Amino acid sequence: MVLAAGSAPGGTTVRATRRFDEWRDAIRHDFVALDMAPDRGTDAFSGSVRSATVAHLQVSEVRSVTQVCRRTPSLAGADSHEFLQIGMVSRGTGVLEQDGRRTLLSQGDFAVYETGRPFVWNLGGAWELDVFTWPRAAVGLSTAESAAVTAVRFAGRQGFSGIVGGMLRGLLTAPPRLTPAGAVRVADEVGELVATLAIEQSDPCVFADAPQLALLHRIHDHIDAHLADPELGPVSIARAHFVSTRQLHRLFAGTGETVTRRIRRLRLERCRRELADRRRATDSVTGISRRWGFPDLPGFSRAFRSTYGLSPTDYRARSGS
């Protein structure tokens, strides 16, 4: 699975089987490779997956019987593609483990997890799990922010998490008919809501004490405001905030993302969104890349393909912009 712009709902696929070996292959095909084991006390096995896409967001309804699904360290390490996923329990129960946490989910609850690190799903009864999958690069969470909220229970029918949960359920039960460019915007905006929910849920103490956290927020705002500046980098950022570059790098070490990597990720995201925007259809790929701090087109194209699995030109063509 790569980031495929413009694959609006309508091409729903359904896979169903009563054989466990076929089930394991279906999960590998639609998601990622897992080490799976059925419950020995189950007399009859069955499983089904129904999936549709909203641009680069895949929405899936997965049903089966009691089993354990493991993303082992070797499976996670061998996969070149990483995804951020939400699992929402609609029937039965689910226990999710990742990053040293373990959470029990019942009907309506959901949790965030990542395929680039080991995780375990223990699913009980005749269960249904609604799974929402984004390419990891398309969701604006640092490694530390993500690791702070994986395997954390979100109530899917209460408060802000209830709002996000309702939107996710709506995308699955009644996916909207959208233009390719509209589908990209919806996938991005729902991903932003998920990121906001994750950050709001996070314990600030995970990252830094109060003064450091306030400084980090100011630096993040500075980076967002100056992404188009080709001179933006550790030296200019440190100077603007009256800290040394060593202090700056030490501050970012707690986020799991370097200063340079954050700048690159955000610039690529700005470029990706403009490539999918019909209002930018007359802008050249070169113009867009330069506007967001990539003066070298071949270098930008390599970075874009490495991150999203498509060249900028192919991505724009698929988005219909």
Side-chain angles (χ1 to χ4, degrees):
M1 177 181 172
V2 297
L3 187 149
S7 47
T12 301
T13 62
V14 179
R15 306 177 193 276
T17 182
R18 294 187 177 276
R19 291 178 48 183
F20 193 78
D21 58 338
E22 291 180 348
W23 174 244
R24 185 169 46 238
D25 291 343
I27 294 298
R28 179 188 292 263
H29 182 277
D30 281 19
F31 303 103
V32 293
L34 299 173
D35 181 3
M36 304 170 66
D39 180 40
R40 293 183 178 180
T42 302
D43 295 329
F45 178 82
S46 64
S48 67
V49 181
R50 178 175 66 87
S51 294
T53 53
V54 182
H56 49 281
L57 167 60
Q58 178 176 295
V59 296
S60 306
E61 177 188 84
V62 188
R63 295 179 175 180
S64 191
V65 295
T66 300
Q67 61 197 263
V68 179
C69 306
R70 292 182 173 85
R71 180 72 161 167
T72 64
S74 60
L75 289 174
D79 200 335
S80 60
H81 297 296
E82 296 184 7
F83 304 98
L84 182 141
Q85 297 185 302
I86 283 180
M88 177 182 289
V89 173
S90 294
R91 186 174 61 174
T93 59
V95 176
L96 173 63
E97 299 178 45
Q98 189 169 48
D99 295 323
R101 285 181 297 276
R102 184 176 187 270
T103 189
L104 171 65
L105 306 178
S106 54
Q107 186 173 356
D109 297 339
F110 63 92
V112 176
Y113 57 106
E114 286 207 31
T115 67
R117 301 190 299 278
F119 64 81
V120 179
W121 271 109
N122 195 320
L123 298 155
W127 55 267
E128 177 181 319
L129 187 70
D130 299 332
V131 182
F132 306 86
T133 305
W134 288 263
R136 178 63 182 87
V139 181
L141 287 173
S142 71
T143 301
E145 288 167 340
S146 168
V149 295
T150 51
V152 171
R153 172 184 169 273
F154 291 102
R157 302 184 188 279
Q158 300 175 19
F160 182 37
S161 62
I163 294 172
V164 176
M167 184 172 297
L168 293 171
R169 284 192 297 274
L171 287 175
L172 184 63
T173 58
R177 291 287 176 178
L178 299 165
T179 63
V184 172
R185 286 195 294 273
V186 167
D188 283 336
E189 288 167 8
V190 175
E192 288 293 329
L193 276 177
V194 169
T196 300
L197 175 62
I199 292 169
E200 290 295 313
Q201 181 76 15
S202 299
D203 180 358
C205 294
V206 170
F207 308 111
D209 59 28
Q212 288 177 312
L213 187 61
L215 175 59
L216 186 62
H217 286 166
R218 292 197 298 273
I219 291 172
H220 285 175
D221 290 342
H222 178 89
I223 290 173
D224 289 343
H226 294 84
L227 281 175
D229 182 357
E231 299 301 317
L232 181 68
V235 173
S236 67
I237 294 169
R239 185 184 303 118
H241 292 85
F242 305 101
V243 297
S244 69
T245 54
R246 178 177 294 182
Q247 289 174 295
L248 180 68
H249 290 310
R250 188 182 301 121
L251 183 64
F252 269 78
T255 72
E257 184 176 47
T258 66
V259 183
T260 302
R261 185 172 295 178
R262 182 179 182 88
I263 293 170
R264 178 180 179 273
R265 173 173 63 82
L266 294 176
R267 282 174 167 169
L268 284 170
E269 268 298 282
R270 296 299 194 281
C271 291
R272 181 183 69 78
R273 295 188 182 197
E274 289 200 359
L275 288 168
D277 190 342
R278 287 186 297 179
R279 294 168 296 183
R280 299 287 188 181
T282 58
D283 294 359
S284 67
V285 173
T286 300
I288 290 173
S289 66
R290 287 180 175 172
R291 177 157 57 244
W292 293 110
F294 290 102
D296 174 42
L297 182 60
F300 165 67
S301 297
R302 286 192 298 271
F304 193 95
R305 182 186 291 276
S306 174
T307 302
Y308 300 118
L310 295 168
S311 72
T313 301
D314 288 343
Y315 180 78
R316 168 173 263 184
R318 289 197 189 188
S319 72
S321 62

